[in-house]
Amino acid sequence: NTFKTKRRPNHKKKYVLDMFPYPSGSGLHVGHPEGYTATDIMARYWRMLDYDVLHPMGWDAFGLPAEQHAMNTGTHPKVTTLKNIATFKRQLKSLGFSYDWSRELSTTDEQYFKWTQWIFLQLFKSGLAAQSEVSVNWCPALGTVLANEEVINGLSERGNHPVVRQPLRQWVLKITHFADRLEQDLAGIEWPEGTLVAQKQWIGRSVGAAVQFTTDLHGPIEVFTTRPDT
């Protein structure tokens, strides 16, 4: 409990949050302590200035590797996930980071993901979550959808299995309903310019026009473009 968070009423406070790692079987890689060192420096700095600092650690533990390992070995994913978490925790403690381990959590904890499920239900009830046919990267061998960064030259990053683009009915969140608000609120955040640009691209807000092009064979074709002049 060396770095257990103390909370003094009406006292200055800081929340220093790391990106939770995915606990794979191989343990930490060099990129983990590189980033965690920087945030730990900030946590210690604010403590020295007499701030109440919350600096927690947890585990982004749901993932395809655990599912695949379970199918290949017959081992329940809970067993391997808890084992991997223990390895990561031991390694992080050996590096001396000033985490408040009393606040540790895993995304596989029922007391955690019940709230992510609750949030989804509120989005659904508000009309902000709906099912739609979306073109995805489907890997038949892994039996799952892959993100773009998980596909390399048409093959899955894990296992080098063929990946195809196909429509799939799935849940989507209507983030576009809040595009204006999301982009406006970036103005008050002190982030590097590259990060701000990436966030704006993720939000996907664009201003343009619907333009109709005439064709000789199939009639007019309407497209949306931000540059109708080109």
Side-chain angles (χ1 to χ4, degrees):
N1 294 326
T2 304
F3 300 104
K4 184 177 176 63
T5 305
K6 59 182 178 179
R7 188 71 191 103
R8 293 167 288 182
N10 303 316
H11 204 75
K12 300 177 294 184
K13 58 185 178 181
K14 288 289 182 180
Y15 182 29
V16 183
L17 179 64
D18 282 314
M19 182 174 67
F20 291 169
Y22 174 77
S24 66
S26 56
L28 293 172
H29 61 71
V30 69
H32 288 119
E34 179 182 15
Y36 297 159
T37 297
T39 51
D40 201 64
I41 289 171
M42 295 308 301
R44 292 172 183 270
Y45 170 76
W46 292 116
R47 289 194 193 96
M48 292 173 69
L49 295 180
D50 198 35
Y51 279 74
D52 290 347
V53 177
L54 173 58
H55 188 33
M57 176 48 67
W59 319 104
D60 186 9
F62 278 117
L64 183 60
E67 296 173 7
Q68 289 300 306
H69 183 77
M71 289 187 288
N72 293 337
T73 65
T75 305
H76 196 286
K78 181 177 181 178
V79 175
T80 53
T81 298
L82 291 177
K83 180 180 178 181
N84 295 342
I85 286 175
T87 299
F88 267 57
K89 187 174 182 178
R90 173 180 54 79
Q91 292 174 324
L92 286 174
K93 282 189 171 184
S94 71
L95 292 170
F97 292 129
S98 60
Y99 294 124
D100 178 359
W101 288 105
S102 70
R103 305 295 186 98
E104 178 187 8
L105 63 87
S106 172
T107 55
T108 54
D109 295 340
E110 292 183 7
Q111 292 303 308
Y112 174 85
F113 67 70
K114 77 173 185 180
W115 291 112
T116 62
Q117 294 174 334
W118 179 86
I119 290 171
F120 176 82
L121 288 175
Q122 308 317 304
L123 293 171
F124 177 74
K125 292 174 182 177
S126 301
L128 297 174
Q131 288 191 339
S132 178
E133 290 279 345
V134 180
S135 182
V136 298
N137 299 314
W138 174 253
C139 180
L142 297 177
T144 190
V145 172
L146 301 179
N148 290 336
E149 56 268 25
E150 294 176 304
V151 181
I152 301 175
N153 297 323
L155 301 175
S156 63
E157 182 181 31
R158 184 175 182 82
N160 292 319
H161 302 295
V163 177
V164 296
R165 293 286 291 179
Q166 69 177 48
L168 184 68
R169 190 169 182 81
Q170 59 182 318
W171 288 100
V172 295
L173 302 181
K174 300 178 181 178
I175 297 172
T176 51
H177 283 42
F178 301 94
D180 291 340
R181 169 72 183 277
L182 287 168
E183 189 164 300
Q184 289 168 6
D185 286 353
L186 289 176
I189 300 177
E190 296 181 3
W191 280 349
E193 183 60 29
T195 304
L196 290 173
V197 170
Q199 284 293 303
K200 290 178 180 178
Q201 291 175 343
W202 176 80
I203 293 168
R205 180 182 179 276
S206 60
V207 178
V211 181
Q212 284 194 347
F213 294 93
T214 58
T215 65
D216 295 331
L217 298 176
H218 303 290
I221 298 176
E222 184 175 293
V223 298
F224 174 83
T225 177
T226 57
R227 290 294 303 275
D229 55 315
T230 59

